[in-house]
Amino acid sequence: MNTDIKSVTVVGTGIIGASWTCLFLAHGLDVVATDIREGAENELELAVERCWPSLPDAVLERKKRGTLSFTADLTAACRGTGFVQENAIERVEEKIDLMRQIDAATSPGVVIASSSSAISVTDMQSACAHPERVVLGHPLNPPHLVPLVEVVGGAGTGETALRSAEHFYQDLGKTTIRLEKEIYGHVANRLQAAIFREAIHILESGVASAEDIDRAVTDGPGLRWALMGPLLTYRLAGGDRGMQGFWDMFTPMQDKLWRELGTPLLDQDLQQRVTAAVERAYDKVPLEGLVRKRDAGLRCILAMRRPERHL
């Protein structure tokens, strides 16, 4: 680990915050967690114990575990910390005020990273006295398993903070990508949203069931995506001529597909219909069982990818 960082403050201990906490502890970092929700401390302790066995083998082999403490006092939680990972409310005005409080309570030079899925860093740092150290450190759920962290700064963020955040996450075994500019939803969520939108369009059109739409991904392109992204996938599809070969062979098909992709209206009626279809498909297995199955599968994929991260 970066020897300059010995402790981390986790602000917000829901699903994402608890998963981050598990990962930080497993790398020997001391964690001070804070949340204002009643019962949050007990929920966090249970969540960490639940996540711990599913950590990647490479992490468990370290046989490390930092100390975990909890306080509802945000100022106390930030005092003396080496890094802040914020995972709280996803409403702009509340986030701005929360980041202002964290900034005021944290020693100068300490990076303040947000897990926000969509809120602009420029907005989040707008009330901070030290906006230069506020960055986005957006993980994919669950962060204790999925390697990706998206890093980007706002208008007031300094390069030093961005590099420090990247090094910190990389020392945790994470894969970081640097966004050159802010965009709503960042990169991974936008890619997921595009697939999700078309999945709903196909479901609404009566083309396939919820289960078969999911299987079309997990037993099809999802297998390739565990090894390579969509751009490399299509480059290989072009054979010896690479990407240009793909365009020469498939441009008409892609053009027709792009023009026919669905644009469903995300209104209340559609949400209810999709909810009913998905719950019918998966209500036979309790949520906890689905999570365990997901985490076990992710561990297997990570173990397989360990010698060589990607193609």
Side-chain angles (χ1 to χ4, degrees):
M1 286 299 303
N2 185 333
T3 55
D4 293 331
I5 299 176
K6 302 294 187 184
S7 63
V8 179
T9 296
V10 173
V11 181
T13 59
I15 293 172
I16 300 299
S19 183
W20 270 126
T21 298
C22 186
L23 182 67
F24 295 148
L25 291 171
H27 281 269
L29 293 166
D30 295 331
V31 176
V32 180
T34 183
D35 199 308
I36 59 173
R37 296 176 299 119
E38 185 176 351
E41 181 176 4
N42 185 57
E43 289 178 11
L44 175 61
E45 291 172 352
L46 292 173
V48 168
E49 295 308 316
R50 191 164 54 245
C51 291
W52 195 269
S54 67
L55 282 161
D57 289 336
V59 177
L60 289 174
E61 287 167 5
R62 294 170 175 264
K63 299 186 185 304
K64 291 184 176 181
R65 186 158 183 159
T67 61
L68 173 61
S69 57
F70 185 95
T71 176
D73 185 334
L74 179 64
T75 299
C78 293
R79 190 177 297 125
T81 193
F83 192 91
V84 177
Q85 187 74 43
E86 178 273 328
N87 322 274
I89 195 163
E90 285 285 83
R91 290 197 288 270
V92 176
E93 294 305 319
E94 287 89 341
K95 185 78 83 177
I96 291 171
D97 186 58
L98 177 60
M99 297 302 274
R100 177 191 62 77
Q101 294 180 59
I102 295 171
D103 179 54
T106 306
S107 300
V110 173
V111 173
I112 302 171
S114 175
S115 297
S116 177
S117 296
I119 297 175
S120 159
V121 179
T122 298
D123 286 340
M124 286 191 282
Q125 68 189 184
S126 60
C128 292
H130 300 284
E132 68 279 357
R133 39 98 166 256
V134 179
V135 305
L136 178 84
H138 176 248
L140 260 65
N141 186 38
H144 73 281
L145 280 170
V146 181
L148 182 68
V149 181
E150 299 174 301
V151 177
V152 70
T157 305
E159 178 64 20
T160 299
L162 290 166
R163 289 183 179 178
S164 294
E166 287 174 329
H167 293 158
F168 173 68
Y169 292 130
Q170 289 164 8
D171 283 344
L172 293 169
K174 309 298 276 184
T175 300
T176 62
I177 65 167
R178 172 82 74 94
L179 279 65
E180 299 302 326
K181 61 180 181 180
E182 293 189 275
I183 184 173
Y184 184 79
H186 324 312
V187 175
N189 277 341
R190 292 180 72 93
L191 294 171
Q192 290 185 129
I195 297 167
F196 185 45
R197 183 179 69 179
E198 186 59 19
I200 288 177
H201 170 67
I202 292 170
L203 182 65
E204 281 282 278
S205 300
V207 173
S209 67
E211 303 100 309
D212 281 348
I213 292 169
D214 278 351
R215 278 194 285 264
V217 174
T218 60
D219 290 4
L223 294 173
R224 296 189 304 214
W225 292 337
L227 302 172
M228 66 189 93
L231 301 178
L232 178 54
T233 295
Y234 288 144
R235 182 186 184 279
L236 296 184
D240 292 341
R241 299 190 60 234
M243 201 69 216
Q244 188 57 55
F246 173 83
W247 293 130
D248 291 345
M249 288 186 286
F250 298 112
T251 291
M253 182 191 78
Q254 287 295 314
D255 183 60
K256 182 175 174 61
L257 281 172
W258 287 11
R259 284 186 281 110
E260 291 189 2
L261 290 174
T263 54
L265 179 62
L266 203 55
D267 58 19
Q268 194 65 37
D269 288 343
L270 180 139
Q271 292 177 42
Q272 290 175 356
R273 291 193 298 273
V274 172
T275 297
V278 173
E279 295 304 325
R280 279 197 305 271
Y282 297 109
D283 66 356
K284 295 180 178 64
V285 182
L287 179 60
E288 188 173 334
L290 289 171
V291 170
R292 281 200 304 269
K293 184 176 180 180
R294 176 202 66 188
D295 291 354
L298 286 170
R299 289 183 87 250
C300 291
I301 293 170
L302 289 169
M304 177 274 296
R305 281 168 38 117
R306 188 176 173 185
E308 186 174 355
R309 297 181 67 83
H310 51 73
L311 293 182

